Amino acid sequence: MFLRSEQLNATPQLRCAPAVRSLLTLLQHPGVMVDSDPSKRAMPEQEPLVLVADDDRTSNARICEVLQGRGMRTLSAPDGKAAVEMLRGREVDLVILDVVMPRMDGFEACKIIKALCADRFLPVVLLTSKTDVNSRI
């Protein structure tokens, strides 16, 4: 299942919707500062946990920084295989995967993650810097 940005408001069970909105803003407007004022956030019982997998350290750190600025807890993985290993035994609310990574790419990691979490809805966001038509889903 793929969510467009306008669907985030219409999906109340997504505790991570503010994080996804922040991430979309960052990706669409890289120079924009994302609001991280904690008084503007809804405070759930426990902050959502987001697993971020990207082999580019700078991108990984920046995504985690944006999410943490929105009050999310983050786990950082350097590739798809590490992301799958980190997911086992954890209840995460959102997974963000780079498409092109060593050891296991984002597509393969997504398939495994979806199989592991088949009993519940777990949104997965796939990121890529590729722009060719064949790289689009």
Side-chain angles (χ1 to χ4, degrees), residues 39-52:
S39 67
K40 295 181 181 177
R41 289 185 298 226
M43 299 304 273
E45 292 176 20
Q46 185 176 14
E47 296 293 352
L49 179 60
V50 182
L51 174 58
V52 178

Side-chain angles (χ1 to χ4, degrees), residues 44-97:
E45 292 176 20
Q46 185 176 14
E47 296 293 352
L49 179 60
V50 182
L51 174 58
V52 178
D54 194 329
D55 60 315
D56 181 279
R57 288 184 194 176
T58 304
S59 295
N60 196 318
R62 181 67 177 126
I63 292 168
C64 288
E65 178 185 317
V66 168
L67 298 173
Q68 291 166 1
R70 295 291 295 176
M72 308 290 151
R73 298 174 297 136
T74 60
L75 294 171
S76 178
D79 56 59
K81 186 172 182 176
V84 170
E85 291 167 2
M86 292 175 94
L87 182 73
R88 293 182 197 276
R90 288 195 168 98
E91 287 287 323
V92 302
D93 298 290
L94 172 67
V95 177
I96 299 173
L97 300 170

Side-chain angles (χ1 to χ4, degrees), residues 65-129:
E65 178 185 317
V66 168
L67 298 173
Q68 291 166 1
R70 295 291 295 176
M72 308 290 151
R73 298 174 297 136
T74 60
L75 294 171
S76 178
D79 56 59
K81 186 172 182 176
V84 170
E85 291 167 2
M86 292 175 94
L87 182 73
R88 293 182 197 276
R90 288 195 168 98
E91 287 287 323
V92 302
D93 298 290
L94 172 67
V95 177
I96 299 173
L97 300 170
D98 182 21
V99 171
V100 180
M101 295 183 285
R103 296 201 316 157
M104 182 185 295
D105 69 27
F107 292 123
E108 186 63 27
C110 182
K111 289 177 193 172
I112 294 170
I113 288 168
K114 287 296 191 176
L116 289 172
C117 301
D119 61 333
R120 68 185 184 93
F121 176 68
L122 175 62
V124 176
V125 175
L126 293 168
L127 302 177
T128 186
S129 60

